[in-house]
Amino acid sequence: MFNKLEKVLMPAATKLGSNRILIAIRDGFLITTPLIIVASIFLLIANFPIPGWSEFWANYFGNGWESWFTNVSRAVFNTVGFFTCFSTAYAYARQIKSDAIQAAASALVAFLILTPTKMIVDGLKEPVDGVLDMEYLGTNGIFLGLIVAFIAVIIYDFVYKRGWTIKMPDGVPPAVAQSFEALIPSAFVIMVFFFIRILFGMTGFETLHNFIYQILQVPLKGAGNTLMAQIIYGFACTIFWFFGINGPAVANSVFAPITKVLTMENLDAFQNGHKLPNIFTDPFSNFFTNFGGGGSTLSLVIVMLLVCKSERIKQLGKLAIVPGFFGINEPIIFGLPIVLNPILLVPFNLVPLINLLLSTLVTKIGIIPYTNGVALPWTTPIGFSGYLSTGSLWASVYQILLLILGCLIYYPFIKTLDKQYLKEEHDAKMEKVENISFDDLTNDDLNFI
């Protein structure tokens, strides 16, 4: 059965893992991730979940000190769609060996061409003209940013690689020559998006932003914001890991754009003091479904250390426990191993699934709050991650309970493996004793007196 599954999954993973568009989406988000994490830290300082935090610091810095920090976080979060366009275009142009920086710059201009420049302001009868509404540059612009990035780079690359460029004579500095080479490809990109803006201005949608948001982003977001979608995502992650493929790396190439939007919506609501709208955010997946990496293997490592007697498992547990607290589980994925190990297949899939179902339930009934969307590093240890991502100590306690539950589920399976390894270690010792030859004996071995 495993061989048949491997034959199906390996080509699928290889195809997904080598798809240039999916790689560009993944790498594009990775480019923006450091900015989002740093901005989240600023936001967390301004809204640290301790009663009296704001008042305490106001005694030293005055009222409104939080705005110093929220100015930084807004600078990133309100432009995340804008930067997603640039980073994805750069990553895709790099994939297809084009002029990455010029192609990305062209995509950025194309995105701005499509962005409305009128904004309705409270108290004014007429919309203000000649301004950029940040609403279109943030979360609502992520999907359009991705689409614009790919179309702009394809146009740029098409013109560039056919040599429709201005060639400068020898002796001209390379920087000057490259800027002239980019002139005609950039002009093609700008002209195409210029006409696209005019065409959509003639429709009821008025802008491509509105069209994409209503036709694509809202349905996709709705489909991804369901328990069934999360079950499929979790199952894909663990089953790929079982065959030695980095499951999240494969599954995130499809799910990341959706969960990123859901996460940013929660963050936007959190910043503005509104009700948090979404359960299935990135922090929810990282901190309430998987502890210690895919398969929630921190529970497994703890059981390995506490109850197993095999030297192989005990030594591996000692090596894996510290990385496990920070969400790194490759030592046991490949060392125990979990890869192609039928004994651990059931708990490896079952523990994250139970975590997901229980976490969804306790969040829906209000035992733990919705995650606030703050982008903590996925390596944040259990306990801290629950508190910082929700502002609730109950969330930390709940994480510990899930960890214990995971230990109970993994226990009978790892004990079975432990007995198997103990027998192998015992047989190896016996074989070593039996293989001792009289030829190996020395005079010292015979000196009993």
Side-chain angles (χ1 to χ4, degrees):
M1 183 182 73
F2 293 144
N3 288 336
K4 289 181 179 177
L5 277 174
E6 190 175 3
K7 285 180 181 177
V8 173
L9 290 176
M10 285 297 287
T14 304
K15 199 167 185 177
L16 285 173
S18 60
N19 184 284
R20 289 177 174 177
I21 289 180
L22 295 179
I23 292 173
I25 292 174
R26 181 199 65 192
D27 292 351
F29 281 129
L30 287 176
I31 290 172
T32 59
T33 296
L35 296 174
I36 293 173
I37 291 178
V38 172
S40 293
I41 293 171
F42 276 79
L43 180 65
L44 202 57
I45 293 172
N47 300 275
F48 203 73
I50 292 179
W53 171 264
S54 179
E55 294 76 9
F56 175 79
W57 290 111
N59 293 329
Y60 297 94
F61 303 119
N63 292 327
W65 63 271
E66 299 94 336
S67 63
W68 301 343
F69 294 87
T70 53
N71 285 337
V72 176
S73 58
R74 285 195 181 116
V76 175
F77 300 138
N78 288 0
T79 55
V80 67
F82 179 74
F83 283 115
T84 297
C85 177
F86 177 82
S87 60
T88 306
Y90 180 84
Y92 185 53
R94 191 173 55 186
Q95 281 286 318
I96 61 176
K97 312 293 182 191
S98 190
D99 186 348
I101 191 67
Q102 290 291 350
S106 299
L108 209 54
V109 172
F111 183 84
L112 291 175
I113 289 172
L114 299 177
T115 303
T117 52
K118 287 184 178 180
M119 187 169 68
I120 298 173
V121 179
D122 292 340
L124 297 179
K125 293 181 180 178
E126 297 294 329
V128 178
D129 200 3
V131 295
L132 285 174
D133 190 343
M134 301 297 278
E135 179 187 354
Y136 295 98
L137 306 183
T139 310
N140 291 341
I142 287 180
F143 275 80
L144 180 63
L146 291 172
I147 293 169
V148 170
F150 290 118
I151 295 175
V153 171
I154 289 170
I155 295 170
Y156 186 96
D157 187 64
F158 179 84
V159 178
Y160 184 76
K161 287 187 176 172
R162 273 156 183 77
W164 300 349
T165 59
I166 297 176
K167 301 291 185 186
M168 299 300 288
D170 294 340
V172 174
V176 176
Q178 287 171 4
S179 67
F180 274 88
E181 282 185 2
L183 199 152
I184 293 178
S186 300
F188 267 85
V189 173
I190 290 171
M191 288 299 292
V192 168
F193 283 93
F194 166 71
F195 287 115
I196 289 176
R197 171 158 187 151
I198 292 175
L199 288 175
F200 272 90
M202 299 175 181
T203 68
F205 293 103
E206 296 183 353
T207 66
L208 187 56
H209 274 273
N210 292 334
F211 176 78
I212 294 295
Y213 186 74
Q214 294 179 31
I215 300 298
L216 185 62
Q217 183 158 326
V218 171
L220 276 178
K221 189 181 65 177
N225 196 17
T226 62
L227 181 60
M228 182 52 68
Q230 295 303 311
I231 291 174
I232 293 170
Y233 169 75
F235 182 72
C237 290
T238 49
I239 202 68
F240 275 119
W241 260 135
F242 181 74
F243 287 97
I245 304 161
N246 190 323
V250 176
N252 282 339
S253 59
V254 177
F255 283 88
I258 299 170
T259 56
K260 189 70 71 180
V261 170
L262 297 174
T263 305
M264 297 305 293
E265 282 188 349
N266 273 27
L267 183 64
D268 187 51
F270 176 65
Q271 280 184 296
N272 293 295
H274 299 156
K275 183 181 177 183
L276 303 178
N278 305 312
I279 291 180
F280 303 115
T281 60
D282 287 335
F284 180 87
S285 176
N286 291 335
F287 305 137
F288 294 99
T289 302
N290 291 292
F291 305 109
S296 200
T297 50
L298 183 57
S299 299
L300 172 61
V301 178
I302 291 172
V303 177
M304 287 164 60
L305 281 173
L306 293 180
V307 302
C308 291
K309 297 177 181 176
S310 159
E311 283 301 318
R312 175 178 172 180
I313 293 181
K314 283 167 62 179
Q315 291 300 325
L316 186 62
K318 291 176 185 175
L319 292 172
I321 187 65
V322 174
F325 272 110
F326 295 94
I328 299 166
N329 66 348
E330 276 80 356
I332 60 167
I333 289 279
F334 299 103
L336 191 55
I338 290 175
V339 174
L340 295 178
N341 189 332
I343 296 174
L344 295 176
L345 175 62
V346 172
F348 190 66
N349 282 276
L350 188 61
V351 174
L353 176 62
I354 290 177
N355 289 348
L356 171 63
L357 296 175
L358 288 177
S359 299
T360 303
L361 177 65
V362 298
T363 305
K364 278 185 178 292
I365 62 179
I367 294 177
I368 64 171
Y370 284 38
T371 53
N372 51 31
V374 171
L376 299 170
W378 58 270
T379 50
T380 306
I382 184 173
F384 294 103
S385 57
Y387 177 65
L388 293 175
S389 63
T390 63
S392 167
L393 283 173
W394 282 114
S396 300
V397 174
Y398 171 72
Q399 283 184 308
I400 303 301
L401 292 176
L402 283 184
L403 186 69
I404 295 171
L405 179 62
C407 291
L408 295 175
I409 296 172
Y410 267 114
Y411 175 79
F413 297 94
I414 191 63
K415 280 300 290 180
T416 302
L417 193 65
D418 187 43
K419 287 178 184 175
Q420 178 184 323
Y421 286 174
L422 270 175
K423 183 176 183 303
E424 290 175 3
E425 289 171 6
H426 178 266
D427 292 346
K429 285 181 183 176
M430 293 304 296
E431 185 178 355
K432 189 175 181 182
V433 171
E434 290 172 358
N435 286 341
I436 293 177
S437 168
F438 285 108
D439 296 335
D440 298 327
L441 296 176
T442 64
N443 290 332
D444 292 337
D445 297 321
L446 301 174
N447 187 13
F448 299 107
I449 302 176

